[in-house]
Amino acid sequence: VEFSVPPRDRVYASWYGPRFHGKRMANGRRFNQWDIRHAAHPYLPLGTELRITSEETGKSVRVEVTDRGPCISPRRLDLSRAAASKLGVLELGVARVEIEILKLG
């Protein structure tokens, strides 16, 4: 299946943690809320590498699409607790971020 995705996009992101910690992700591995690289996206291929930059803090983190989600509109990205913490958006719950595709999976 071919589809076109912009190399950069601005979306709402949230984070997921304790309730999902240890559960299997879409890629077959177990989710670890303390692993900074875990992220969920509804349709980007698993294994896609992204740079996420918070519009609020200007901080960035590199993640890999390892899971599917989020399931709550208008959010389009779920980050691990560790990634949200590094971005400085943990307390916000939901934050505006820029997604830059570094490598499609």
Side-chain angles (χ1 to χ4, degrees):
V1 175
E2 285 191 40
F3 61 90
S4 175
V5 294
R8 291 178 186 255
D9 199 5
R10 286 188 166 83
V11 302
Y12 286 102
S14 52
W15 63 272
Y16 64 136
R19 199 169 96 212
F20 298 94
H21 186 77
K23 293 187 178 177
R24 290 220 184 266
M25 298 180 289
N27 69 0
R29 293 184 283 166
R30 295 201 179 271
F31 175 69
N32 180 347
Q33 67 178 335
W34 307 112
D35 188 331
I36 202 161
R37 297 214 11 111
H38 290 313
H41 192 278
Y43 59 81
L44 285 175
L46 296 175
T48 296
E49 295 179 17
L50 308 169
R51 177 179 295 119
I52 309 301
T53 304
S54 165
E55 290 186 0
E56 178 80 19
T57 66
K59 296 179 181 179
S60 293
V61 64
R62 286 179 69 138
V63 301
E64 177 185 338
V65 177
T66 54
D67 206 359
R68 293 292 172 223
C71 300
I72 301 170
S73 185
R75 302 175 197 172
R76 204 151 5 120
L77 185 70
D78 266 342
L79 301 166
S80 68
R81 179 185 183 102
S85 180
K86 183 167 182 184
L87 287 176
V89 299
L90 191 64
E91 296 77 23
L92 296 176
V94 177
R96 254 328 245 177
V97 298
E98 180 181 75
I99 294 176
E100 179 185 356
I101 296 175
L102 302 175
K103 179 183 158 201
L104 275 176

